[in-house]
């Protein structure tokens, strides 16, 4: 019985027409705007299901706190009165931005659809949140909106809370030699600091530049809103190299050599090198000792020092194809003994300044010109100072695809030439000289 009445009532309701549509509660939003959103019209059959759809259409406008749509049957006219009751959001008197530290409030307000002086619109929330995230991304940062709503104490004030992405933790997985403290000195990104894309890219590039790793796979993930963990999965490379061998030059001079180098000595990031050479002519052993430390302080000041004593052969004949001068049996050697030291420090993102000093003494061995023969042998000492800077904007120093590299240096030098046994000691080519280049 009741089911029959229900069916009869539904059929009866659908056969009646809508007599009028009444809108109540709107103050800022024009009535015509609301009527254009609904499909229920005067003179059309009344449908309860359409009222639910009309309610959703009105809510999608985003400017109402509450929406009610219902029908009242008017027995006198045998028609339905459709009532739409709305509660508008208030006009926004203030937009309060909270949590921003690197992007100014004015820049954030500029990208919002929601404006001060207009009615609050919930439909803007997603678009505004995306606009804020894109603004941060364009400036090299990451952030998300964690709250965007009117204050409970004053709904005319909109509060937007921004969660800027910060580094929670940095881990290196796969280390067996390199000390973690050395990698911390290498990284600009630190736990607790904001995540910056440019610093992240530079850190990864700097890790590759060390040549300490065969593989570097960064895995960033966000365990909670605004907190980022970065795991670097690495595979360390062999940095120590030992070579033994010999070489023969075009004049059949046999030279044996042995060397040991390590660009990451005991995982400290320091580099060491020992190079030995010995010629079959028995003119002495050549040796060089090299040392480098990329982090002598917290500002990544690097130090490179090299001590060396090397022999080089000189021949009297066949210089540039000529046959004059010392005969081929009168070979002599020059020993260069000295030290070089260089300090480097980053001064800008792509630029490092450097200062260096080289002290070198050159002395001839087994020099015996024929009587009356003149042959200039410039034995003496050299002091060279270097001051300059390099700029490296290559994307990958090991295999660059784009970018540039530039170096500028000022090198004053002082040279003291002792003279030779074949020339007048008062010759103006001898003595002290100052060069600048």
């Amino acid at each position: 019985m009741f089911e029959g009445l229900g069916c009869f009532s539904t059929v009866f309701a659908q056969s009646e027409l809508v007599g009028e549509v009444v809108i109540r509660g709107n103050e800022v939003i024009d009535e015509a705007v609301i009527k254009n959103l609904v499909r229920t019209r005067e003179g059309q059959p009344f449908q309860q299901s359409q009222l639910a759809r009309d309610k959703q259409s009105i809510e999608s406008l985003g400017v109402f706190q509450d929406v009610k749509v219902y029908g009242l049957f008017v027995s006198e006219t045998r028609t339905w009165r459709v009532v739409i009751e709305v509660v508008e959001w208030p006009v926004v008197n203030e937009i309060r931005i909270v949590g921003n530290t690197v992007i100014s409030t004015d820049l954030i307000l500029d990208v919002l659809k929601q404006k001060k002086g207009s009615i609050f619109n919930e439909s803007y929330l997603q678009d505004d949140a995306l606009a804020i995230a894109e603004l941060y991304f364009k400036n090299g940062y990451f952030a998300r909106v964690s709250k965007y709503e009117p204050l409970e104490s004053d709904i005319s004030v909109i509060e937007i809370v921004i969660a800027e992405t910060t580094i929670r933790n940095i881990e290196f997985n796969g280390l067996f030699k390199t000390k973690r403290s050395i990698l911390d000195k290498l990284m600009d990104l630190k736990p607790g600091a904001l995540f910056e894309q440019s610093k992240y890219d530079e850190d990864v590039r700097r890790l590759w530049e060390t040549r300490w790793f065969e593989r570097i796979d960064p895995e960033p993930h966000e365990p909670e809103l605004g907190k980022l963990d970065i795991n670097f999965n690495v595979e360390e490379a062999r940095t120590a190299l030992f070579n033994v061998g010999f070489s023969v030059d075009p004049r059949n001079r046999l030279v044996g050599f042995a060397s040991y180098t390590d660009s990451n000595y005991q995982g400290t990031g320091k580099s060491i090198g020992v190079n030995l050479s010995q010629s079959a002519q028995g003119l002495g052993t050549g040796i060089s000792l090299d040392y480098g430390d990329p982090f002598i302080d917290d500002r990544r000041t690097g130090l490179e020092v090299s001590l060396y004593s090397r022999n080089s052969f000189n021949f009297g004949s066949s210089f540039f194809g000529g046959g004059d001068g010392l005969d081929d049996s009168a070979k002599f050697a020059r020993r260069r003994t000295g030290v070089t030291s260089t300090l480097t420090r980053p001064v800008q993102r792509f630029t490092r300044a450097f200062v260096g000093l080289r002290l070198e003494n050159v002395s001839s061995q087994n020099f015996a010109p024929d009587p009356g023969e003149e042959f200039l042998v410039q034995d003496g000492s050299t002091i060279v100072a270097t001051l300059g800077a390099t700029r490296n904007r290559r994307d990958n120093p090991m295999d660059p695809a784009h970018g540039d590299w530039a170096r500028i240096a000022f090198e004053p030098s002082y040279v003291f030439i002792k003279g030779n046994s074949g020339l007048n000691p008062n010759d103006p080519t001898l003595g002290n000289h100052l060069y600048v280049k």
Side-chain angles (χ1 to χ4, degrees):
M1 177 177 177
F2 289 104
E3 291 180 356
L5 283 174
C7 292
F8 175 77
S9 176
T10 301
V11 174
F12 176 75
Q14 292 179 347
S15 67
E16 302 294 342
L17 300 179
V18 176
E20 63 176 331
V21 177
V22 179
I23 299 176
R24 300 170 181 168
N26 59 307
E27 297 178 1
V28 177
I29 304 302
D30 192 85
E31 184 175 304
V33 175
I34 301 174
K35 283 190 173 182
N36 287 334
L37 292 171
V38 301
R39 300 187 65 182
T40 299
R41 297 285 190 271
E42 290 90 344
Q44 294 181 350
F46 176 81
Q47 296 183 19
Q48 185 66 43
S49 60
Q50 182 58 49
L51 299 186
R53 290 191 290 271
D54 288 342
K55 181 177 183 292
Q56 291 177 350
S57 297
I58 297 171
E59 289 175 336
S60 68
L61 192 60
V63 295
F64 302 112
Q65 300 180 56
D66 187 36
V67 177
K68 294 178 181 178
V69 181
Y70 57 91
L72 296 174
F73 184 70
V74 182
S75 58
E76 291 83 357
T77 60
R78 307 295 296 174
T79 59
W80 287 88
R81 178 185 298 124
V82 175
V83 180
I84 301 175
E85 294 181 352
V86 296
V87 179
E88 294 177 340
W89 284 107
V91 172
V92 176
N93 292 325
E94 180 187 354
I95 300 177
R96 187 175 299 170
I97 309 296
V98 180
N100 58 311
T101 62
V102 291
I103 304 296
S104 70
T105 297
D106 289 341
L107 287 177
I108 295 173
L109 293 176
D110 285 343
V111 301
L112 299 180
K113 286 186 174 182
Q114 184 68 66
K115 301 297 182 182
K116 179 181 176 181
S118 63
I119 191 169
F120 176 67
N121 194 323
E122 290 180 299
S123 67
Y124 293 162
L125 300 185
Q126 184 173 1
D127 289 344
D128 285 351
L130 289 175
I132 292 173
E134 289 177 0
L135 177 63
Y136 270 82
F137 180 76
K138 289 179 181 178
N139 286 274
Y141 299 92
F142 290 87
R144 289 196 286 175
V145 174
S146 61
K147 181 181 178 183
Y148 189 150
E149 61 186 31
L151 293 178
E152 292 183 2
S153 58
D154 185 355
I155 60 175
S156 69
V157 177
I158 307 304
E159 184 178 58
I160 301 177
V161 179
I162 298 174
E164 296 177 334
T165 300
T166 59
I167 305 297
R168 192 182 74 164
N169 193 29
I170 299 176
E171 291 293 340
F172 289 88
N173 302 319
L175 296 178
F176 67 89
K177 176 182 178 181
T178 306
K179 292 179 170 54
R180 171 60 191 270
S181 59
I182 298 301
L183 297 180
D184 289 339
K185 293 181 179 180
L186 199 66
M187 305 287 290
D188 280 336
L189 292 178
K190 305 293 183 184
L194 283 177
F195 177 84
E196 295 183 52
Q197 185 66 48
S198 60
K199 285 187 177 182
Y200 172 78
D201 294 339
E202 286 298 307
D203 284 348
V204 173
R205 183 181 67 85
R206 208 176 291 115
L207 287 171
W208 280 114
E209 282 183 344
T210 63
R211 301 177 185 264
W212 301 340
F213 304 101
E214 293 283 355
R215 179 177 62 90
I216 302 174
D217 292 330
E219 290 186 356
H221 64 281
E222 193 175 25
E224 59 182 279
L225 183 64
K227 303 297 181 183
L228 187 67
D229 289 343
I230 303 178
N231 293 326
F232 288 94
N233 299 313
V234 301
E235 180 182 342
E236 293 190 278
R238 294 182 179 180
T239 58
L241 183 64
F242 179 70
N243 282 325
V244 176
F246 64 90
S247 63
V248 179
D249 68 11
R251 290 182 175 273
N252 298 320
R253 181 178 66 133
L254 184 65
V255 177
F257 62 87
S259 67
Y260 173 80
T261 60
D262 192 343
S263 61
N264 188 17
Y265 180 66
Q266 294 185 347
T268 63
K270 298 179 175 65
S271 61
I272 62 171
V274 179
N275 295 273
L276 298 173
S277 63
Q278 177 64 56
S279 69
Q281 282 72 15
L283 293 179
T285 302
I287 184 172
S288 66
L289 303 174
D290 304 314
Y291 172 81
D293 186 348
F295 310 115
I296 63 174
D297 61 15
D298 293 334
R299 299 181 62 182
R300 296 201 194 105
T301 301
L303 171 66
E304 294 182 357
V305 179
S306 178
L307 302 173
Y308 60 90
S309 180
R310 295 188 282 263
N311 267 330
S312 61
F313 271 94
N314 291 266
F315 300 89
S317 60
S318 298
F319 275 162
F320 304 105
D324 298 331
L326 301 175
D327 61 34
D328 193 49
S329 62
K331 306 171 185 176
F332 73 99
R334 277 184 177 156
R335 177 167 291 274
R336 298 179 178 272
T337 303
V339 57
T340 63
S341 178
T342 304
L343 287 171
T344 65
R345 172 178 288 182
V347 292
Q348 291 181 349
R349 179 181 174 187
F350 299 107
T351 306
R352 291 186 70 93
F354 60 86
V355 58
L357 182 66
R358 176 167 64 91
L359 306 177
E360 184 178 84
N361 179 264
V362 179
S363 61
S364 299
Q365 300 174 358
N366 297 335
F367 176 66
D370 293 335
E373 183 178 30
E374 292 186 353
F375 191 86
L376 180 63
V377 178
Q378 294 179 325
D379 289 356
S381 300
T382 301
I383 302 175
V384 180
T386 305
L387 178 65
T390 58
R391 186 185 68 182
N392 183 5
R393 297 191 297 187
R394 295 175 294 178
D395 60 328
N396 185 343
M398 299 176 64
D399 188 18
H402 61 84
D404 58 77
W405 185 92
R407 180 182 186 272
I408 185 171
F410 174 70
E411 293 187 346
S413 60
Y414 177 82
V415 179
F416 174 72
I417 302 175
K418 293 187 295 185
N420 67 348
S421 60
L423 294 179
N424 183 348
N426 296 320
D427 191 291
T429 61
L430 306 180
N432 302 333
H433 301 271
L434 177 65
Y435 302 93
V436 177
K437 67 175 180 177

